[in-house]
Structure formats: structure tokens, C-alpha cells
Amino acid sequence: MLVNSTQKNEKVVLGLLSLTCESEDQMNQAGEILTKYRDQEGFDLYLYKDPETSNFVGLIGVEQRKVETDPQENLSTIIVHRISVIPSFEGESVDYLLFKELKEMFPQIQISGSIQSETQDIIAQFAEKYRQQKQANSEGEAI
């Protein structure tokens, strides 16, 4: 289950954010990253709660941007900047479940990765997997 992060689970969020940092310097900046997500409009952190243990085991940091194509349309896109799973759950596709639940929360919004955060390839793979599963499910229902 995907839930919006709160002050109450700040230590869990900081721990998961630190897993997205490559260097010791960046790990020290996890607090600053958290502040950015809390303070900037359009930025959100979501935690994934494992249904079996009820523990938070993953995190996805996103930015929702308005797309200015047509003034009459109110389109937006979601950019995934960070995705993190605790090491003991890495082989269990929790990162894909984070994407899937985010897509189910925002079915009409395009979700993509960030070049700067190097999430573009993995999010593209998740989007394709999600599309294929959705297509297979709709074909199965038509039979």
C-alpha cells in the first residue's frame, strides 16, 4: 500500500532516502532532501507499506509538473526522482509495486523518470511492464 509520508515516519523516510545517496556527502544531505520534498509545491514522498508485515519497505520521491501545451487542458506529468527499497526486500519487486500503485493513484497522468536522478530507464521498464500487464488483463477479460 502506498501512503504519503508524514512527520511521524520521518526516521524511516530519512533511512530510505539515504539508500538513494551514492556518497557519504550525499547521505549527510538526506535531511535537506526531505526538507525539499516537504516544502516545495508539487514534490511528494510516498512510502510503500508491505501488506504482510505492515512495515514501510520502500519509498518513491516524485514531482508533479503541469504541462503547458494548451491553456484549456490541465495536463500534468509525474517525474520520479528517487526510488528506494530496503535491502532485504530488493529481490521482491517492491520497486515495481511502488510504480504500479503510483500509476493506479494517477491513472491519467504520464509517469517518467529523471535523467538527473538516473531513474528514466527503470521507470520506462516499469511503464512497459505495467502496460503489458494491463493489456493481458483486458484480453483475459474479453475471452
Side-chain angles (χ1 to χ4, degrees), residues 80 83 95-96 99 113 118-128:
V80 176
I83 191 162
D95 49 0
Y96 173 70
F99 172 85
E118 299 179 3
T119 57
Q120 74 277 11
D121 291 339
I122 192 74
I123 297 302
Q125 291 171 12
F126 292 159
E128 180 61 20

PDB file of all heavy atoms in Angstrom, residues 80 83 95-96 99 113 118-128:
ATOM      1  N   VAL A  80       9.631  10.807 -11.512  1.00  0.00           N
ATOM      2  CA  VAL A  80      10.175  10.073 -10.368  1.00  0.00           C
ATOM      3  C   VAL A  80      11.644  10.454 -10.234  1.00  0.00           C
ATOM      4  O   VAL A  80      12.437  10.215 -11.135  1.00  0.00           O
ATOM      5  CB  VAL A  80      10.027   8.546 -10.563  1.00  0.00           C
ATOM      6  CG1 VAL A  80      10.693   7.795  -9.423  1.00  0.00           C
ATOM      7  CG2 VAL A  80       8.554   8.166 -10.688  1.00  0.00           C
ATOM      8  N   ILE A  83      13.771   6.459  -5.968  1.00  0.00           N
ATOM      9  CA  ILE A  83      13.065   5.224  -5.655  1.00  0.00           C
ATOM     10  C   ILE A  83      14.009   4.386  -4.811  1.00  0.00           C
ATOM     11  O   ILE A  83      15.195   4.256  -5.131  1.00  0.00           O
ATOM     12  CB  ILE A  83      12.580   4.504  -6.932  1.00  0.00           C
ATOM     13  CG1 ILE A  83      11.625   3.384  -6.592  1.00  0.00           C
ATOM     14  CG2 ILE A  83      13.722   4.059  -7.791  1.00  0.00           C
ATOM     15  CD1 ILE A  83      10.771   2.921  -7.760  1.00  0.00           C
ATOM     16  N   ASP A  95      10.095  -2.212  -5.924  1.00  0.00           N
ATOM     17  CA  ASP A  95      10.251  -1.003  -6.725  1.00  0.00           C
ATOM     18  C   ASP A  95       9.183  -0.933  -7.817  1.00  0.00           C
ATOM     19  O   ASP A  95       8.606   0.121  -8.063  1.00  0.00           O
ATOM     20  CB  ASP A  95      11.661  -0.885  -7.304  1.00  0.00           C
ATOM     21  CG  ASP A  95      12.173  -2.141  -7.984  1.00  0.00           C
ATOM     22  OD1 ASP A  95      11.453  -3.160  -8.038  1.00  0.00           O
ATOM     23  OD2 ASP A  95      13.315  -2.102  -8.473  1.00  0.00           O
ATOM     24  N   TYR A  96       8.864  -2.064  -8.428  1.00  0.00           N
ATOM     25  CA  TYR A  96       7.789  -2.076  -9.430  1.00  0.00           C
ATOM     26  C   TYR A  96       6.434  -1.820  -8.759  1.00  0.00           C
ATOM     27  O   TYR A  96       5.599  -1.093  -9.299  1.00  0.00           O
ATOM     28  CB  TYR A  96       7.749  -3.393 -10.209  1.00  0.00           C
ATOM     29  CG  TYR A  96       6.544  -3.461 -11.113  1.00  0.00           C
ATOM     30  CD1 TYR A  96       6.460  -2.649 -12.249  1.00  0.00           C
ATOM     31  CD2 TYR A  96       5.463  -4.276 -10.820  1.00  0.00           C
ATOM     32  CE1 TYR A  96       5.334  -2.666 -13.063  1.00  0.00           C
ATOM     33  CE2 TYR A  96       4.341  -4.302 -11.626  1.00  0.00           C
ATOM     34  CZ  TYR A  96       4.281  -3.498 -12.746  1.00  0.00           C
ATOM     35  OH  TYR A  96       3.159  -3.501 -13.540  1.00  0.00           O
ATOM     36  N   PHE A  99       5.869   1.817  -8.343  1.00  0.00           N
ATOM     37  CA  PHE A  99       5.434   2.425  -9.605  1.00  0.00           C
ATOM     38  C   PHE A  99       3.975   2.076  -9.893  1.00  0.00           C
ATOM     39  O   PHE A  99       3.173   2.948 -10.226  1.00  0.00           O
ATOM     40  CB  PHE A  99       6.314   1.950 -10.765  1.00  0.00           C
ATOM     41  CG  PHE A  99       5.787   2.397 -12.103  1.00  0.00           C
ATOM     42  CD1 PHE A  99       6.111   3.654 -12.594  1.00  0.00           C
ATOM     43  CD2 PHE A  99       4.949   1.589 -12.847  1.00  0.00           C
ATOM     44  CE1 PHE A  99       5.598   4.089 -13.811  1.00  0.00           C
ATOM     45  CE2 PHE A  99       4.438   2.010 -14.069  1.00  0.00           C
ATOM     46  CZ  PHE A  99       4.764   3.268 -14.546  1.00  0.00           C
ATOM     47  N   GLY A 113      10.811   8.931 -15.582  1.00  0.00           N
ATOM     48  CA  GLY A 113      11.954   9.067 -14.697  1.00  0.00           C
ATOM     49  C   GLY A 113      12.709  10.349 -14.979  1.00  0.00           C
ATOM     50  O   GLY A 113      12.389  11.095 -15.904  1.00  0.00           O
ATOM     51  N   GLU A 118      18.863   9.575 -12.748  1.00  0.00           N
ATOM     52  CA  GLU A 118      19.101   8.290 -13.390  1.00  0.00           C
ATOM     53  C   GLU A 118      17.989   7.280 -13.113  1.00  0.00           C
ATOM     54  O   GLU A 118      18.239   6.089 -12.907  1.00  0.00           O
ATOM     55  CB  GLU A 118      20.467   7.735 -13.004  1.00  0.00           C
ATOM     56  CG  GLU A 118      21.611   8.647 -13.427  1.00  0.00           C
ATOM     57  CD  GLU A 118      22.986   8.131 -13.046  1.00  0.00           C
ATOM     58  OE1 GLU A 118      23.089   7.021 -12.482  1.00  0.00           O
ATOM     59  OE2 GLU A 118      23.958   8.848 -13.305  1.00  0.00           O
ATOM     60  N   THR A 119      16.757   7.753 -13.108  1.00  0.00           N
ATOM     61  CA  THR A 119      15.609   6.867 -12.917  1.00  0.00           C
ATOM     62  C   THR A 119      14.837   6.646 -14.218  1.00  0.00           C
ATOM     63  O   THR A 119      13.878   5.890 -14.233  1.00  0.00           O
ATOM     64  CB  THR A 119      14.642   7.429 -11.854  1.00  0.00           C
ATOM     65  OG1 THR A 119      14.234   8.739 -12.249  1.00  0.00           O
ATOM     66  CG2 THR A 119      15.270   7.468 -10.481  1.00  0.00           C
ATOM     67  N   GLN A 120      15.258   7.308 -15.312  1.00  0.00           N
ATOM     68  CA  GLN A 120      14.485   7.247 -16.547  1.00  0.00           C
ATOM     69  C   GLN A 120      14.397   5.834 -17.116  1.00  0.00           C
ATOM     70  O   GLN A 120      13.329   5.422 -17.585  1.00  0.00           O
ATOM     71  CB  GLN A 120      14.994   8.244 -17.605  1.00  0.00           C
ATOM     72  CG  GLN A 120      16.291   7.880 -18.291  1.00  0.00           C
ATOM     73  CD  GLN A 120      17.546   8.253 -17.529  1.00  0.00           C
ATOM     74  OE1 GLN A 120      17.503   8.625 -16.368  1.00  0.00           O
ATOM     75  NE2 GLN A 120      18.688   8.134 -18.170  1.00  0.00           N
ATOM     76  N   ASP A 121      15.475   5.063 -17.089  1.00  0.00           N
ATOM     77  CA  ASP A 121      15.447   3.723 -17.678  1.00  0.00           C
ATOM     78  C   ASP A 121      14.563   2.763 -16.883  1.00  0.00           C
ATOM     79  O   ASP A 121      13.755   2.037 -17.451  1.00  0.00           O
ATOM     80  CB  ASP A 121      16.866   3.159 -17.801  1.00  0.00           C
ATOM     81  CG  ASP A 121      17.701   3.895 -18.839  1.00  0.00           C
ATOM     82  OD1 ASP A 121      17.118   4.547 -19.733  1.00  0.00           O
ATOM     83  OD2 ASP A 121      18.943   3.832 -18.756  1.00  0.00           O
ATOM     84  N   ILE A 122      14.723   2.755 -15.573  1.00  0.00           N
ATOM     85  CA  ILE A 122      13.942   1.822 -14.753  1.00  0.00           C
ATOM     86  C   ILE A 122      12.453   2.173 -14.791  1.00  0.00           C
ATOM     87  O   ILE A 122      11.606   1.289 -14.869  1.00  0.00           O
ATOM     88  CB  ILE A 122      14.488   1.726 -13.305  1.00  0.00           C
ATOM     89  CG1 ILE A 122      13.862   0.564 -12.554  1.00  0.00           C
ATOM     90  CG2 ILE A 122      14.264   3.012 -12.521  1.00  0.00           C
ATOM     91  CD1 ILE A 122      14.361  -0.780 -12.970  1.00  0.00           C
ATOM     92  N   ILE A 123      12.124   3.447 -14.796  1.00  0.00           N
ATOM     93  CA  ILE A 123      10.714   3.846 -14.856  1.00  0.00           C
ATOM     94  C   ILE A 123      10.135   3.496 -16.223  1.00  0.00           C
ATOM     95  O   ILE A 123       8.984   3.043 -16.319  1.00  0.00           O
ATOM     96  CB  ILE A 123      10.545   5.343 -14.530  1.00  0.00           C
ATOM     97  CG1 ILE A 123      11.010   5.632 -13.093  1.00  0.00           C
ATOM     98  CG2 ILE A 123       9.104   5.791 -14.733  1.00  0.00           C
ATOM     99  CD1 ILE A 123      10.304   4.836 -11.999  1.00  0.00           C
ATOM    100  N   ALA A 124      10.905   3.631 -17.288  1.00  0.00           N
ATOM    101  CA  ALA A 124      10.442   3.234 -18.628  1.00  0.00           C
ATOM    102  C   ALA A 124      10.168   1.724 -18.662  1.00  0.00           C
ATOM    103  O   ALA A 124       9.174   1.283 -19.244  1.00  0.00           O
ATOM    104  CB  ALA A 124      11.461   3.625 -19.686  1.00  0.00           C
ATOM    105  N   GLN A 125      11.030   0.937 -18.024  1.00  0.00           N
ATOM    106  CA  GLN A 125      10.813  -0.513 -17.957  1.00  0.00           C
ATOM    107  C   GLN A 125       9.546  -0.839 -17.171  1.00  0.00           C
ATOM    108  O   GLN A 125       8.754  -1.696 -17.569  1.00  0.00           O
ATOM    109  CB  GLN A 125      12.011  -1.201 -17.310  1.00  0.00           C
ATOM    110  CG  GLN A 125      13.260  -1.182 -18.143  1.00  0.00           C
ATOM    111  CD  GLN A 125      14.485  -1.672 -17.375  1.00  0.00           C
ATOM    112  OE1 GLN A 125      14.377  -2.235 -16.284  1.00  0.00           O
ATOM    113  NE2 GLN A 125      15.661  -1.431 -17.927  1.00  0.00           N
ATOM    114  N   PHE A 126       9.347  -0.146 -16.038  1.00  0.00           N
ATOM    115  CA  PHE A 126       8.144  -0.379 -15.235  1.00  0.00           C
ATOM    116  C   PHE A 126       6.888   0.013 -16.007  1.00  0.00           C
ATOM    117  O   PHE A 126       5.869  -0.674 -15.934  1.00  0.00           O
ATOM    118  CB  PHE A 126       8.203   0.403 -13.923  1.00  0.00           C
ATOM    119  CG  PHE A 126       9.252  -0.073 -12.954  1.00  0.00           C
ATOM    120  CD1 PHE A 126       9.711   0.769 -11.965  1.00  0.00           C
ATOM    121  CD2 PHE A 126       9.779  -1.355 -13.020  1.00  0.00           C
ATOM    122  CE1 PHE A 126      10.667   0.348 -11.053  1.00  0.00           C
ATOM    123  CE2 PHE A 126      10.749  -1.790 -12.119  1.00  0.00           C
ATOM    124  CZ  PHE A 126      11.183  -0.926 -11.134  1.00  0.00           C
ATOM    125  N   ALA A 127       6.943   1.116 -16.733  1.00  0.00           N
ATOM    126  CA  ALA A 127       5.785   1.578 -17.511  1.00  0.00           C
ATOM    127  C   ALA A 127       5.424   0.554 -18.578  1.00  0.00           C
ATOM    128  O   ALA A 127       4.238   0.260 -18.798  1.00  0.00           O
ATOM    129  CB  ALA A 127       6.072   2.934 -18.142  1.00  0.00           C
ATOM    130  N   GLU A 128       6.419  -0.006 -19.231  1.00  0.00           N
ATOM    131  CA  GLU A 128       6.168  -1.027 -20.258  1.00  0.00           C
ATOM    132  C   GLU A 128       5.582  -2.295 -19.625  1.00  0.00           C
ATOM    133  O   GLU A 128       4.642  -2.891 -20.145  1.00  0.00           O
ATOM    134  CB  GLU A 128       7.456  -1.344 -21.023  1.00  0.00           C
ATOM    135  CG  GLU A 128       7.295  -2.391 -22.093  1.00  0.00           C
ATOM    136  CD  GLU A 128       6.305  -2.037 -23.195  1.00  0.00           C
ATOM    137  OE1 GLU A 128       5.977  -0.849 -23.388  1.00  0.00           O
ATOM    138  OE2 GLU A 128       5.850  -2.973 -23.879  1.00  0.00           O
TER     139      GLU A 128
END
